[in-house]
Amino acid sequence: MPHYPTELKLLNLESLPREVFARQQYMPARHYFASHKHRWHQLLYAISGVLTVDVVGERLFIPPENAVWLPCGCTHSVSTEFGAELKSLYIDDRYQQLPTDKSLVLKISPIIKALIIEVSTFDVEYSISGYEEDVVSLMLSTLPRLKHVTEHLPWPKSFELLKMCSQLYERPGSKQTTLMLAEDLAMSKRTLERKFHRETGMTIQAWNLRLRFLKAIELLTAGHSTTSISLDLGYSSLSPFIYMFRNISGMSPGEYVTSLSNTKVK
């Protein structure tokens, strides 16, 4: 998890008052929830801002168009670099329409976003008959229809590679070559490449590229300019940054920002 200075208190809740409990909270910039787990499922969604969610072996970046599904018992921590407005849903562990053994990142559709926002306006002990229950049921039945997002950032398990990746994460514009990284770890370039691929399933170059793309999403969502982002991520000029972003996402950085604006619920 990123090293942020301020830890937020976890909600002290013994049981859910209804099948779905909606929690709304603003997470200030550079705050975090320490590693924890729940006795119920959680759909964690930020209506604005980007969340960084660490689960076992993966770091998940959750921009406003995505949400993360955390099944009952899934250990996770949550942080944000620039602040985020949470709409977190706690769902009874008897709900079985999404996997109960692994986390997922889900693409939020306009209808599910509207349903989440509507459910978050209900009383804690909302009526279990009538309009409120109908909206909750529609939301729960819609969740399994959402597309899965697979562009996660896998993390190695060994101490030396975990430390290396943490340093790269803190400095995504680093120009260190694989040879330089290997020398820092007192191992050969080939040994580092094989060990890294074995632990993450990716090459170091591919991992770095995915890191830069995900950090670009975070910075764009926070309102940073494409020029400043390209420099922060180590690009010599704007053109190669735009090429990278378009090649991965199918749209330019400017088109991505516009797409975020177009999905806002009025």
Side-chain angles (χ1 to χ4, degrees), residues 130-234:
Y131 174 74
E132 290 89 347
E133 181 63 19
D134 290 344
V135 172
V136 168
S137 296
L138 178 59
M139 181 189 69
L140 293 177
S141 63
T142 302
L143 288 178
R145 303 175 67 88
L146 300 179
K147 293 181 180 179
H148 296 181
V149 180
T150 57
E151 290 80 17
H152 308 150
L153 195 64
W155 282 75
K157 296 179 180 179
S158 61
F159 173 78
E160 65 269 27
L161 294 192
L162 187 59
K163 182 179 179 181
M164 182 191 79
C165 287
S166 296
Q167 292 172 341
L168 291 172
Y169 179 86
E170 296 297 331
R171 300 192 302 272
S174 171
K175 297 184 184 298
Q176 283 184 290
T177 64
T178 303
L179 179 59
M180 294 166 66
L181 294 170
E183 289 174 346
D184 288 344
L185 296 174
M187 64 176 67
S188 70
K189 177 175 176 288
R190 186 173 183 182
T191 297
L192 173 58
E193 289 173 335
R194 287 195 294 197
K195 186 176 180 64
F196 191 88
H197 192 274
R198 183 168 63 247
E199 293 191 23
T200 67
M202 301 179 73
T203 65
I204 295 175
Q205 293 82 359
W207 192 93
N208 255 319
L209 184 63
R210 183 171 295 181
L211 169 64
R212 291 179 180 181
F213 173 72
L214 293 172
K215 292 295 286 186
I217 293 288
E218 184 177 44
L219 293 166
L220 286 168
T221 304
H224 292 224
S225 71
T226 52
T227 300
S228 67
I229 295 172
S230 66
L231 295 175
D232 289 344
L233 297 183

Side-chain angles (χ1 to χ4, degrees), residues 62-74:
I62 312 299
E65 69 267 26
N66 295 341
V68 59
W69 168 256
L70 300 162
C72 174
C74 176

Side-chain angles (χ1 to χ4, degrees), residues 17-81:
R18 290 289 185 267
E19 183 180 12
V20 174
F21 172 73
R23 183 188 185 190
Q24 303 184 74
Q25 181 177 5
Y26 181 75
M27 282 186 74
R30 299 184 66 80
H31 281 57
Y32 71 97
F33 289 106
S35 182
H36 64 284
K37 58 185 177 182
H38 303 294
R39 294 194 297 272
W40 41 75
H41 308 311
Q42 182 180 17
L43 184 76
L44 184 57
Y45 174 55
I47 195 170
S48 66
V50 174
L51 300 173
T52 302
V53 181
D54 282 5
V55 295
V56 177
E58 288 184 319
R59 178 161 291 175
L60 311 175
F61 287 71
I62 312 299
E65 69 267 26
N66 295 341
V68 59
W69 168 256
L70 300 162
C72 174
C74 176
T75 301
H76 61 282
S77 59
V78 184
S79 60
T80 179
E81 173 73 25

